Amino acid sequence: MKICTTTGTYTAHYGIREGYRVIREAGFEGIDWSLDNAWDYHKVIAAEKLENLSIFEKSQEEIAAHYAEELAAIRENGLRICQAHAPFEGFCYGRPEVTEYAISIYKNMIPFLDRLGVRNLIIHGMTKNEKMVDLSYEDTVRINLHMYESLIPELQKAKTLRVCLENLPTDNFILARGFWEGCCTDPHVAAEWVDYLNEKAGKECFGICMDTGHLNVIRKPFYTYVPVLGKRIFALHLHDNMQNSDSHLIPYVGAVKWDDLIEQLRAVGYEGDISFEIGAHVRPDRLPDALIPIFLGVVREIGEYFRDQIQK
Amino acid sequence: MKIAIQTETLAKHYGYEDAYGMMREAGFEAVDWNVDTSWDFDALVKAEKLEGLCIFEKPIEEVRAHYAHELSVLKKNGLEIVQAHAPMGCFCYKRPEITEYAIQIYKKMIPFLDELGVKYMIVHGVTKDEMMEDLTYDEANRISYHVYESLIPELQQAKTLKVCMENLPTDTHIIEEGFWEGCCSDPHIAARWIDELNKKAGRECFGLCLDTGHLNVLRRPFYSYIPAMGKRILALHLHDNMQNSDSHLMPYVGAVRWEDFLEEMRKIGYGGDISFETCAQTSKNRLPRRVTPVLLSAMHDIGEYFRKQIQG
């Protein structure tokens, strides 16, 4: 059970070597590798041809070369890549070819990350929002299951890597600061999908990455979510908010009920990592440089507290 | 320029020994003493006779005995009392005798705090709100001014103690998450009051305690407030919020523009203390005991950063 943070904010601001040094010096043991920047979604949906938009279109050798320097910095700082975030969205309304493109990218990420010993790749599903007038809820189920099912052949070959679905909220475009439930927010549906996919794969290839902030904005208590999913929860995105915005704040400054989270994770015997997704808060345009290591240190210490309490 | 933190809610939740020990270990040098707990406003407004409601009704010898233990624990931990918060409110709609009672209490607090070497006592003024139908804005101001003016004789005899007014918001009872400007939120009026009162006192007996969170819920930028108050700002209540609630959180977790604050404070040559009013952040209801020292230490480090930036 390692204490991890996302990486994108720090490598973007400090550069690769310095970014990982800052993470290590704060005491983190592992990372949630921010590979979500492996494509620029706006470019993907603006492109006439879905080509040359992501490094994961290339061969495994080219991908390995592209990330060689970063992987060396991760290794030098003694950080383990516990989980990685796939680029999103894998969906564009009225453009099914975007989903097919996303599937091809995710398929190519699996062997690359598996060779690195990564345990969980987090892939967002798609959620209907109010602008998608012709799309039914059943259509979204079909699109999501198609996307995850398409990855089964690669996952069956993987040694360590599994794919995690994530509970998502979706913006309400009518009500300011409003949200609706999104993909995998109903734990019964999420559990049904995970079980269906694993049965199809013939092994445990799929699980859930539970996002605490996403549950909080839709006012869903942990005691109605965690027990239903139980051991299907493989990974975490830990962050806080005030329920009016998905702000990705450090724990204990918002409305998330952390004691409830700890109690529920302990009750289901959670054994995954303690991974924070607080890059939107502990970031240089929000904090002075001098305070970033202090805030990262606070988060790591909270992580130790969480670990001790969950393992109690 | 000392780095201070308010004593509540830590003292109430953990007791003096544990609370003041945690503050010292986090590096705090001083406290903002929450003597505002010395009356219970609800008990006050319900009382048939305004008697036996506050320790400051008693002779100074009894007041000293009442606080002896707490003061010894503060001293043992090397924590100086740089400012203290007077009990609030000094006003109850259509009950002018409550204001006179409050004035008598404040008058008795002045010599007690002065002999302890406290520099500032923060006394809230009166704000009209929407429930006070017959009270005009001018009347509310007249009552506030009367409270402060009544304290001049005691302040003239004090060696160190001054009284600070505080910029306040008031709840709108009609709109959820709404606020209106309250007492001293207009810096031009606050500055005029302070100058007039100091002139009447014949020396500098009055100043302002600038509350960052209260300005933030009113959407008032520091650059439109601090320059107008200038050197009249003698003390601080530093805390953060999301502009929808006076949440009293630690800096850099909300919407307060701290870099603007530091720039304006540097420009006016602020020489007072760096005092945090983050009771809700460190409350036992929000934070587990084990994580409390972690956040206290981070706040102290933020204080060090503020001090360096303000002192240039």
Side-chain angles (χ1 to χ4, degrees), chain A:
Chain A
M1 192 178 278
K2 296 204 180 288
I3 300 169
C4 309
T5 179
T6 48
T7 60
T9 301
Y10 310 105
T11 52
H13 178 63
Y14 295 110
I16 286 168
R17 295 205 167 260
E18 182 65 5
Y20 287 114
R21 190 189 62 76
V22 167
I23 291 170
R24 173 185 47 88
E25 289 202 345
F28 288 98
E29 303 149 356
I31 58 168
D32 179 350
W33 196 11
S34 303
L35 292 182
D36 42 327
N37 57 20
W39 76 44
D40 175 339
Y41 182 67
H42 297 295
K43 282 189 184 157
V44 170
I45 59 174
E48 284 189 18
K49 278 190 87 176
L50 294 172
E51 269 178 31
N52 296 321
L53 296 163
S54 171
I55 181 65
F56 287 100
E57 292 171 27
K58 310 279 181 187
S59 68
Q60 291 291 313
E61 293 71 26
E62 286 173 281
I63 297 166
H66 179 83
Y67 286 111
E69 187 196 346
E70 185 163 358
L71 288 167
I74 292 168
R75 206 168 35 242
E76 279 161 24
N77 284 289
L79 295 164
R80 172 161 182 189
I81 309 171
C82 296
Q83 58 196 62
H85 207 307
F88 55 96
E89 306 288 324
F91 177 79
C92 179
Y93 183 49
R95 292 195 56 198
E97 69 275 18
V98 169
T99 298
E100 295 310 314
Y101 175 76
I103 290 169
S104 71
I105 295 298
Y106 300 153
K107 278 171 173 270
N108 219 11
M109 291 180 85
I110 291 169
F112 172 67
L113 292 172
D114 187 55
R115 263 195 294 278
L116 297 172
V118 180
R119 288 187 290 241
N120 299 305
L121 171 66
I122 290 119
I123 299 183
H124 284 191
M126 63 81 50
T127 293
K128 168 180 166 59
N129 70 31
E130 286 147 350
K131 294 184 171 175
M132 303 173 187
V133 281
D134 295 336
L135 199 76
S136 68
Y137 173 71
E138 287 72 22
D139 288 331
T140 69
V141 173
R142 190 184 45 73
I143 295 164
N144 281 320
L145 286 178
H146 164 65
M147 181 179 74
Y148 292 118
E149 261 180 280
S150 304
L151 308 178
I152 288 177
E154 282 70 23
L155 287 169
Q156 284 171 325
K157 289 182 226 157
K159 287 197 190 93
T160 61
L161 196 82
R162 305 168 296 187
V163 159
C164 288
L165 293 62
E166 179 176 345
N167 58 298
L168 299 170
T170 182
D171 290 333
N172 175 331
F173 292 100
I174 296 168
L175 183 68
R177 300 189 302 182
F179 289 94
W180 296 114
E181 285 195 358
C183 185
C184 293
T185 297
D186 180 325
H188 302 281
V189 174
E192 194 185 306
W193 287 10
V194 169
D195 292 349
Y196 165 79
L197 291 163
N198 283 336
E199 199 178 327
K200 245 192 152 177
K203 62 184 265 209
E204 198 179 52
C205 292
F206 295 92
I208 291 285
C209 173
M210 182 172 76
D211 188 296
T212 57
H214 294 173
L215 284 185
N216 199 45
V217 290
I218 57 142
R219 278 79 165 157
K220 191 153 194 80
F222 293 118
Y223 55 75
T224 70
Y225 194 81
V226 178
V228 178
L229 284 159
K231 288 282 188 189
R232 299 175 189 89
I233 301 174
F234 290 170
L236 298 170
H237 278 168
L238 299 167
H239 55 102
D240 210 335
N241 61 58
M242 303 288 185
Q243 296 197 319
N244 56 5
S245 167
D246 184 20
S247 340
H248 287 254
L249 302 175
I250 69 172
Y252 295 113
V253 304
V256 168
K257 296 182 82 101
W258 294 103
D259 287 346
D260 287 358
L261 170 79
I262 289 165
E263 189 184 332
Q264 294 302 328
L265 287 177
R266 189 192 305 132
V268 300
Y270 176 73
E271 289 171 329
D273 301 299
I274 303 290
S275 194
F276 294 93
E277 200 181 43
I278 40 79
H281 181 189
V282 187
R283 61 183 300 145
D285 53 3
R286 183 145 186 182
L287 295 179
D289 261 4
L291 296 182
I292 286 180
I294 290 162
F295 272 72
L296 283 175
V298 166
V299 172
R300 193 263 307 157
E301 291 201 54
I302 291 172
E304 290 202 12
Y305 170 73
F306 286 174
R307 177 163 60 190
D308 290 350
Q309 295 298 310
I310 292 167
Q311 290 181 331
K312 226 179 197 175

Side-chain angles (χ1 to χ4, degrees), chain B residues 111-126:
Chain B
F112 172 68
L113 294 172
D114 188 56
E115 74 179 18
L116 295 174
V118 179
K119 290 184 286 198
Y120 309 113
M121 175 166 83
I122 290 111
V123 177
H124 283 192
V126 177

Side-chain angles (χ1 to χ4, degrees), chain B residues 114 118-122 155 158 160-164 203-207 234:
Chain B
D114 188 56
V118 179
K119 290 184 286 198
Y120 309 113
M121 175 166 83
I122 290 111
L155 288 169
T160 59
L161 197 81
K162 296 173 190 176
V163 159
C164 286
R203 56 186 271 208
E204 194 190 50
C205 290
F206 295 93
L234 302 179

Side-chain angles (χ1 to χ4, degrees), chain B residues 53-304:
Chain B
L53 296 162
C54 177
I55 183 65
F56 288 101
E57 292 173 25
K58 309 277 183 190
I60 198 161
E61 295 73 25
E62 285 182 58
V63 176
R64 283 186 198 121
H66 179 82
Y67 286 111
H69 174 58
E70 183 170 4
L71 289 168
S72 74
V73 181
L74 282 165
K75 196 171 171 186
K76 187 176 78 181
N77 284 288
L79 294 164
E80 186 183 331
I81 307 170
V82 286
Q83 59 197 62
H85 208 307
M88 49 191 150
C90 63
F91 177 77
C92 180
Y93 186 46
K94 294 193 171 169
R95 292 201 49 201
E97 71 277 16
I98 291 207
T99 300
E100 294 311 313
Y101 174 80
I103 290 170
Q104 292 315 307
I105 296 296
Y106 299 156
K107 278 175 172 275
K108 293 191 78 175
M109 292 179 79
I110 292 170
F112 172 68
L113 294 172
D114 188 56
E115 74 179 18
L116 295 174
V118 179
K119 290 184 286 198
Y120 309 113
M121 175 166 83
I122 290 111
V123 177
H124 283 192
V126 177
T127 293
K128 170 182 166 53
D129 76 22
E130 286 149 350
M131 315 282 255
M132 304 171 186
E133 292 164 6
D134 297 336
L135 191 79
T136 66
Y137 171 71
D138 290 341
E139 278 167 337
N141 283 348
R142 187 187 53 72
I143 298 165
S144 294
Y145 196 89
H146 165 64
V147 170
Y148 296 120
E149 200 175 6
S150 304
L151 307 178
I152 289 178
E154 284 70 21
L155 288 169
Q156 283 171 324
Q157 286 163 40
K159 287 195 190 96
T160 59
L161 197 81
K162 296 173 190 176
V163 159
C164 286
M165 305 165 192
E166 178 175 346
N167 58 299
L168 300 172
T170 183
D171 291 333
T172 87
H173 295 279
I174 297 169
I175 305 165
E176 197 190 345
E177 298 184 356
F179 289 95
W180 296 114
E181 284 196 356
C183 187
C184 294
S185 283
D186 181 325
H188 304 284
I189 293 173
R192 197 184 74 222
W193 287 8
I194 289 167
D195 294 348
E196 275 179 22
L197 289 163
N198 284 337
K199 198 169 166 189
K200 278 187 184 172
R203 56 186 271 208
E204 194 190 50
C205 290
F206 295 93
L208 186 97
C209 173
L210 173 76
D211 188 297
T212 56
H214 294 174
L215 279 190
N216 199 46
V217 291
L218 296 174
R219 280 72 166 157
R220 180 152 209 136
F222 292 115
Y223 55 76
S224 83
Y225 193 88
I226 293 174
M229 295 305 301
K231 288 283 189 189
R232 297 176 193 90
I233 300 174
L234 302 179
L236 296 171
H237 278 169
L238 299 169
H239 56 104
D240 210 334
N241 61 57
M242 296 291 186
Q243 297 196 320
N244 57 1
S245 167
D246 184 20
S247 330
H248 286 262
L249 299 175
M250 64 189 277
Y252 295 108
V253 307
V256 168
R257 299 179 72 106
W258 293 105
E259 298 312 311
D260 288 357
F261 163 75
L262 295 172
E263 188 182 337
E264 295 302 332
M265 294 302 273
R266 185 167 50 236
K267 277 194 214 157
I268 63 162
Y270 176 72
D273 301 299
I274 303 289
S275 192
F276 294 95
E277 200 184 41
T278 46
C279 51
Q281 181 68 78
T282 53
S283 161
K284 198 177 179 178
N285 304 328
R286 177 182 288 272
L287 212 57
R289 168 65 183 78
R290 184 174 141 184
V291 180
T292 303
V294 177
L295 288 199
L296 281 176
S297 176
M299 276 192 268
H300 167 264
D301 292 347
I302 292 169
E304 293 260 26

